[in-house]
Each structure stands twice: as structure tokens, then as C-alpha cells.
Amino acid sequence: MPPLSRDLVLEAAIRAADLGGVEAITMRRVAQELGVEAMSLYHHVPNKDAILDGVVDRVFAAIELPGSGHGDWRAAIRARALSARAVLSRHSWALGLMDSRRDPGPATLRHHDAVLGVLRRAGFTLPMAAHAVSLIDSYISGFVLQEASLPMASREEVTEVAGGILDDLPEDGLPYLTELIVEHALRPDYDHASEFDYGLDLILDALEARRG
């Protein structure tokens, strides 16, 4: 095993949170993940708050920075949103932490600056850039939370859950709900993940209409 370091402590904290949520990020639990005594962590992180700040910064570092390799603001912001959704889907426990820390790390600050830079260079006023960031990030967070709460993940589970709902519908049929399930959710080509792309494009369309 390599020598204990701050990086190893943060990696262990993320593994613990992926398994047990943010509540699993304790000095004792992280030490167990590393196979060491809790006191040994204090040589590398001063306290639990430092671990929380560090894992948030690592999550931000994993999200693609917008601006490089994209020809326009929409492509850059869209790629960043897709990356953020993918990263946060793996670490959904981080959603409650990302906006709550008072001591943001360098990756966090760099990330926010890059997003604002894309929007400002594209002609968004400062207030509009702030609105855009708030709107897009709220959408990403909400979608990730919704996905994490869904009672099904695979196509088979969708069919099973939808079939159970149809079987339990009252006699009047609830025609519009039935239509949604049968003609939309149970289509062979339906993928709930596509809803994210559709909503994101609506937001980008609206922002483009108000740009400048």
C-alpha cells in the first residue's frame, strides 16, 4: 500500500460516500476504508470539514471544463452539462454539498470561472450569465436527483413497474395517464435518459433567444 496522503484520504472518502452517502464521510469510516487508525488521518487533513471541501473539489475536477474543443457556446455548455450529469449520477451524494461549502477549492473556482467565461464571451450580460448558470445547474441537479429516486433502472424494470401501474388503475382508466404509459413509456425505443437532452435543449434555446 502506498504511503498515506491527502489524495488517498479523499479517494477513500469518495468511495465511502458512493457506498453509504455523505453520512459515511467520517474520520473513522474513511480510516476503515484505508485500513488505518483514524488518528493517522490528521497528519494529512485537519478535520472532517477539510475532507468535505476536498471531495467536492474532486467532483468538480471530474466534470469537463467548457470552452476547449467546442465551436460555440451552446456546444460547450451542453458538453459540460452532459459531463456534470454523468459525474453527479455516480456521486449523487455530492449534490447536497456542492453549494454548501464555504471554502471552495481550486478546481471548483476554475470550473465556475470557465462556465462564466463561455457565457460572457458569447455575449451574455453578467446578469444573464448568472441566470443561465443557476438555471442549468438547477436542472442538472434536479434531474440527477429524480433519476436516483426512480424505482427502475433497466428496460425490464420499466416494463414491470408500468405494467403494475396499469393493472392497478381504477375502472375509469385515467385515460391520459394510460396514454402516457402505453404510447410513450412502454415504447421499445423509449429511454428516460433522453428526457435530459430534450430539457437541456429547451433551456439552451431559451437562453439563446435572450442572449445579448
Side-chain angles (χ1 to χ4, degrees), residues 80-97:
R80 178 261 180 181
L82 293 174
S83 176
R85 179 198 166 204
V87 170
L88 292 172
S89 292
R90 296 194 299 271
H91 310 299
S92 58
W93 51 267
L95 288 170
L97 287 177

Side-chain angles (χ1 to χ4, degrees), residues 120-135:
R120 294 289 282 136
R121 289 192 298 272
F124 283 85
T125 64
L126 184 57
M128 272 304 301
H131 296 328
V133 170
S134 177
L135 177 60

